[in-house]
């Protein structure tokens, strides 16, 4: 193994052009380095959301659990609606043990939340739902008081969420457990549906004039052994255009749906979907298999600790096939949303346990085949509900969950993006631009892209506009202006999947630089060792260096073990640009170092077969 230095060419001061390349493979150095710099090394100017990890630029997701609110005395359920009408979903929650109904105002970024109290005197507030009860265009709140045996709604006065008026719907329902608001009679206003843990009937309350001022109770079920008493949901199960009711009957261990026969809510047929739903705690609906009809999802934790979905085989609700999704200890909540933004419904589940208690299942083929993913929990556990909503307007849903052991409402970002801007590089020439290239590690849910800009002036106010986003390595011709001495890049990393992150290993820019001959009297102003070109290399390759004065230099090549492969000394090398051709290195990673007096510079390169 040897380094071959061609002495015929090494000391020639030459004019004409030669290719140069600038590469960055590490971002673990100082930030806030604007430059201009002659080499990027491992420094950069600024970043947001991108974090250097072990010589790589990585968009990490480990710190994605964020707190919406704490100090909530037994938060039972939470979900999102735009309470104050500013266009951004806010988060609502009940605190059962302190009799509170709360909401947190979203600043639009989902990172800053302001707590507001709707009431602190609703006896063991158990469940809530939000919709426009009085038809005035803003979001009102409907809730149940489990110990207070009450169903009520709160009018959002002025639509700001800061002033509320309570209206009672029913004060004689024994242990109301779950509530849902929707149009059950097809008259275009919002009615209220609620189930009771101790009653013998399932009922809904008709909003008589659409203002929430007058209500009439209608019974859906009256057989104590069939009554939905645990959880309730409503959607069009049989595809006839009206709203049906789905729920859990804990007495007989049934998963039940009630058909709204004529769409008026006055006649109902009961259908049992599953008669072994012992310990069932939560139901939800959605088109899981993408066939255009409503399927049903369920969680049950007391007996089976499982999440499953039932396929509505013909779209009429007359025939069902059960599909197990996964086990989940003490499962108590299930929700469907497109978590990975691929166009199909995924599934979320929570459980009241200290181990595996919050997860999402990716709908891998869009037909209901699932793959389990865990959320980063930190120290949080024992969850009581899970929900998903796009809180910051980025097109990706955020996951919302309530932890009863830590009295908190939390959120997770499912889609993330970040960027890093390099220091401004001084090419020391008027370059003709070559290509931008990079090496990345990513999956289908991740992207790595770049923007670039150049200028003849390195001042921050003179760098100009960023280019359009570059998604594939390409020529810089027409993107950067030839002759601009200074250049800067912005790396952009994005992911739509909470547990997948792109990794950028290296980025390089090349250009053709005009060499300067001794005849015109110009010499380099600084010492400079240019990157090895090409890199990686297969055979002979060259190293270019610049000397501002005549000096003695050493060129040494090291392998990754730090052992010197070869050293060449040049005494009295004159000022100017020089090139050395190196050859006959075995496959591997190397560093070439140039030293002269107190000056030392090195470049990394790879030799491949």
């Amino acid at each position: 193994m040897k380094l071959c230095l061609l002495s015929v060419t090494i000391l020639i001061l030459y004019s004409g052009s030669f290719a140069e390349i600038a590469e960055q493979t590490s971002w673990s150095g100082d930030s806030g380095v604007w430059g201009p710099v002659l080499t990027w090394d491992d420094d950069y100017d600024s970043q947001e959301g991108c974090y250097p990890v072990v010589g790589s630029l990585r968009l990490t997701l480990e710190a994605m659990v964020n707190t919406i609110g704490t100090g909530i005395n037994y938060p039972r359920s939470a979900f999102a609606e735009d309470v104050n009408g500013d266009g951004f979903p806010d988060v609502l929650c009940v605190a059962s043990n302190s009799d509170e109904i709360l909401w947190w105002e979203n600043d639009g970024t989902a990172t800053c939340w302001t707590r507001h109290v709707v009431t602190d005197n609703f006896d063991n507030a158990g469940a809530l739902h939000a919709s426009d009860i009085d038809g005035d265009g803003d979001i009102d709140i409907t809730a149940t008081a489990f110990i207070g045996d009450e169903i009520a709604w709160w009018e959002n006065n002025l639509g700001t969420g800061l002033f509320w008026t309570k209206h009672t719907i029913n004060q004689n329902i024994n242990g109301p457990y779950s509530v849902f608001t929707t149009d059950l009679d097809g008259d275009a206003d919002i009615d209220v549906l609620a189930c009771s843990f101790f009653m013998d009937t399932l009922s809904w309350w008709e909003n008589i004039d659409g203002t929430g001022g007058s209500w009439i109770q209608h019974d859906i079920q009256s057989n104590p052994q069939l009554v939905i008493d645990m959880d309730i949901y409503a959607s069009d199960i049989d595809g006839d255009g009206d709203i049906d009711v789905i729920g859990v009957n804990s007495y007989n261990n049934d998963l039940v749906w009630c058909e709204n026969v004529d769409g008026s809510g006055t006649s109902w047929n009961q259908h049992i979907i599953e008669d072994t739903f012992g310990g069932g705690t939560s139901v939800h609906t959605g088109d899981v298999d993408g066939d255009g009809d409503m399927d049903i999802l369920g969680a049950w934790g007391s007996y089976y600790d499982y999440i499953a979905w039932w396929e509505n085989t013909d779209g009429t609700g007359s025939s069902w096939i059960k599909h197990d999704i996964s086990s989940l200890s003490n499962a108590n909540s299930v929700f469907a949303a497109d978590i990975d933004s691929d166009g199909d419904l995924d599934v979320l589940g929570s459980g009241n346990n200290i181990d595996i208690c919050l997860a999402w299942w990716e709908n891998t083929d869009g037909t209901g085949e699932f793959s389990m993913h865990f959320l980063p929990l930190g120290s949080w556990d024992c969850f009581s509900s899970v929900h998903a909503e796009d809180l910051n307007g980025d097109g990706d849903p955020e996951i919302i969950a309530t932890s009863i052991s830590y009295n908190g409402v939390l959120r997770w970002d499912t889609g993330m993006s970040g960027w890093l801007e390099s220091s401004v590089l001084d090419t020391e020439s008027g370059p003709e631009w070559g290509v931008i290239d990079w090496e990345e590690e990513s999956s289908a849910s991740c992207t790595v892209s770049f923007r670039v800009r150049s200028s003849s002036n390195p001042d921050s106010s003179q760098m100009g506009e960023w280019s359009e986003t570059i998604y594939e390595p390409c020529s810089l011709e027409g993107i950067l202006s030839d002759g601009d001495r200074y250049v800067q890049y912005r790396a952009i990393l994005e992911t739509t999947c909470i547990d997948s992150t792109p990794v950028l290993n290296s980025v390089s820019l090349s250009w053709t630089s005009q060499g300067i001959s001794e005849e015109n009297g110009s010499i380099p102003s600084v010492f400079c060792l240019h990157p090895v070109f090409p890199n990686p290399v297969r055979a002979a390759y060259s190293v270019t260096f610049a000397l501002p004065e005549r000096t003695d230099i050493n060129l040494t090549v090291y392998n990754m073990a730090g052992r010197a492969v070869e050293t060449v000394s040049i005494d009295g090398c004159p000022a100017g640009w020089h090139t050395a051709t190196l050859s006959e290195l075995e496959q591997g990673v190397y560093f070439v170092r140039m030293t002269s007096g107190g000056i030392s510079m090195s470049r990394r390169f790879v030799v491949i077969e």
Side-chain angles (χ1 to χ4, degrees):
M1 185 183 300
K2 64 180 180 179
L3 179 148
C4 181
L5 183 63
L6 303 184
S7 58
V8 174
T9 61
I10 181 64
L11 297 182
I12 294 178
L13 297 173
Y14 72 101
S15 60
S17 61
F18 57 89
E20 299 195 53
I21 186 169
E23 183 180 35
Q24 188 157 18
T25 60
S26 173
W27 296 262
S28 57
D30 291 333
S31 61
V33 179
W34 173 259
V37 297
L38 295 178
T39 59
W40 278 315
D41 294 323
D42 56 3
D43 299 330
Y44 58 94
D45 178 43
S46 58
Q47 60 84 30
E48 182 176 298
C50 286
Y51 303 96
V53 178
V54 194
S56 296
L57 175 61
R58 182 186 295 270
L59 179 62
T60 58
L61 301 177
E62 288 81 0
M64 285 189 55
V65 55
N66 297 283
T67 302
I68 293 175
T70 56
I72 310 157
N73 197 344
Y74 202 93
R76 185 186 152 195
S77 61
F79 63 97
E81 286 286 354
D82 183 8
V83 175
N84 59 358
D86 63 355
F88 302 109
D90 308 298
V91 173
L92 303 96
C93 182
V94 294
S96 295
N97 289 352
S98 57
D99 307 330
E100 291 178 303
I101 298 175
L102 308 167
W103 73 280
W104 285 264
E105 181 180 352
N106 181 2
D107 70 342
T109 68
T111 59
C112 182
W113 301 89
T114 303
R115 173 174 167 150
H116 301 279
V117 178
V118 177
T119 181
D120 59 3
N121 187 30
F122 198 52
D123 197 0
N124 196 230
L128 83 165
H129 209 245
S131 55
D132 185 7
I133 296 294
D134 53 7
D136 63 353
D138 55 41
I139 296 297
D140 308 303
I141 296 173
T142 307
T144 61
F146 185 73
I147 294 177
D149 296 336
E150 184 178 4
I151 303 173
W153 73 279
W154 281 260
E155 179 183 355
N156 188 353
N157 299 317
L158 307 178
T160 63
L162 302 179
F163 305 98
W164 301 87
T165 299
K166 179 185 176 183
H167 304 272
T168 298
I169 298 174
N170 189 293
Q171 287 183 298
N172 190 31
I173 179 169
N174 192 2
Y177 197 77
S178 184
V179 66
F180 198 90
T181 56
T182 188
D183 181 11
L184 285 168
D185 54 6
D187 63 354
D189 58 37
I190 300 298
D191 308 303
V192 173
L193 171 70
C195 67
S196 165
F197 195 70
F198 302 112
M199 292 286 280
D200 293 338
T201 59
L202 170 68
S203 302
W204 70 279
W205 284 261
E206 180 184 354
N207 191 348
I208 298 300
D209 61 0
T211 67
S214 180
W215 302 87
I216 294 179
Q217 181 175 342
H218 302 274
D219 293 338
I220 297 176
Q221 295 174 311
S222 57
N223 185 337
Q225 295 185 356
L226 292 177
V227 167
I228 294 171
D229 60 358
M230 178 61 65
D231 191 34
I232 203 163
Y233 200 81
S235 63
D236 183 8
I237 296 299
D238 52 8
D240 62 356
D242 55 43
I243 299 299
D244 308 302
V245 175
I246 309 96
V248 182
N249 165 242
S250 65
Y251 179 85
N252 214 32
N253 300 330
D254 291 334
L255 176 61
V256 179
W257 80 277
C258 299
E259 177 187 356
N260 191 347
V261 176
D262 61 1
S264 68
T266 57
S267 178
W268 300 84
N269 285 337
Q270 303 176 59
H271 305 271
I272 296 177
I273 301 168
E274 174 79 44
D275 60 5
T276 58
F277 200 53
T281 54
S282 178
V283 291
H284 195 74
T285 66
D287 184 7
V288 175
D289 52 7
D291 63 355
D293 56 44
M294 285 295 105
D295 307 302
I296 293 176
L297 300 109
W300 65 108
S302 299
Y303 302 154
Y304 298 108
D305 297 331
Y306 230 77
I307 303 286
W309 72 281
W310 286 261
E311 179 184 354
N312 190 350
T313 56
D314 63 359
T316 67
S318 60
S319 177
W320 300 88
I321 297 177
K322 177 187 173 186
H323 303 271
D324 292 335
I325 296 178
S326 178
S327 61
L328 187 68
S329 184
N330 290 336
N332 55 25
S333 180
V334 65
F335 193 83
D338 186 4
I339 299 301
D340 52 7
S341 300
D342 64 352
D344 55 41
L345 281 183
D346 308 300
V347 175
L348 290 155
S350 68
N352 182 13
N353 205 336
I354 59 175
D355 290 324
I356 301 172
C357 53
L358 191 63
W360 74 280
W361 290 266
E362 177 187 357
N363 194 344
T364 54
D365 62 357
T367 66
E369 294 293 329
F370 289 96
S371 175
M372 189 176 191
H373 303 269
F374 297 108
L375 298 178
L377 300 182
S379 61
W380 302 88
D381 55 32
C382 295
F383 293 91
S384 55
S385 70
V386 66
H387 185 80
E389 187 75 32
D390 183 5
L391 298 175
N392 56 12
D394 64 354
D396 300 310
E398 278 71 52
I399 297 171
I400 306 164
T402 52
S403 170
I404 54 179
S405 61
Y406 288 89
N407 296 326
V409 180
L410 311 171
R411 76 167 182 90
W412 289 259
D413 285 325
T414 61
M416 286 282 288
S417 63
W419 51 264
L420 180 142
E421 293 180 358
S422 72
S423 303
V424 174
L425 182 74
D426 182 1
T427 67
E428 298 188 285
S429 67
E432 294 180 6
W433 295 106
V435 299
I436 180 171
D437 196 4
W438 63 89
E439 179 188 339
E440 65 178 87
E441 300 172 26
S442 62
S443 64
S445 60
C446 304
T447 59
V448 175
S449 58
F450 283 84
R451 293 182 177 181
V452 291
R453 60 182 179 180
S454 63
S455 174
S456 58
N457 188 326
D459 185 85
S460 59
S461 63
Q462 301 295 318
M463 285 300 294
E465 298 294 326
W466 289 103
S467 70
E468 296 294 323
T469 303
I470 302 168
Y471 292 97
E472 298 289 342
C474 66
S475 169
L476 292 171
E477 183 179 358
I479 298 176
L480 296 179
S481 298
D482 287 342
D484 283 350
R485 176 172 174 172
Y486 304 96
V487 66
Q488 186 182 25
Y489 70 79
R490 170 185 278 189
I492 305 168
L493 278 66
E494 299 174 290
T495 179
T496 59
C497 183
I498 190 170
D499 55 3
S500 180
T501 178
V503 178
L504 178 64
N505 290 323
S506 66
V507 56
S508 64
L509 274 71
S510 67
W511 64 90
T512 300
S513 177
Q514 296 300 315
I516 302 175
S517 68
E518 191 176 7
E519 296 176 358
N520 61 23
S522 297
I523 59 174
S525 59
V526 294
F527 287 90
C528 184
L529 176 65
H530 292 277
V532 173
F533 182 83
N535 187 16
V537 301
R538 286 186 171 85
Y541 54 97
S542 60
V543 175
T544 300
F545 55 95
L547 304 177
E549 60 190 36
R550 179 180 292 272
T551 184
D552 298 336
I553 68 165
N554 290 319
L555 289 172
T556 307
V557 176
Y558 297 90
N559 62 20
M560 286 298 291
R563 184 171 63 87
V565 176
E566 191 74 35
T567 298
V568 173
S569 298
I570 305 173
D571 296 332
C573 190
W577 281 263
H578 306 276
T579 185
T581 300
L582 314 177
S583 62
E584 298 184 31
L585 290 175
E586 293 181 353
Q587 180 177 345
V589 179
Y590 297 89
F591 291 87
V592 58
R593 177 176 297 167
M594 180 183 75
T595 57
S596 176
I599 302 296
S600 177
M601 297 179 179
S602 61
R603 291 291 184 177
R604 174 181 176 270
F605 65 100
V606 179
V607 177
I608 59 177
E609 292 182 349

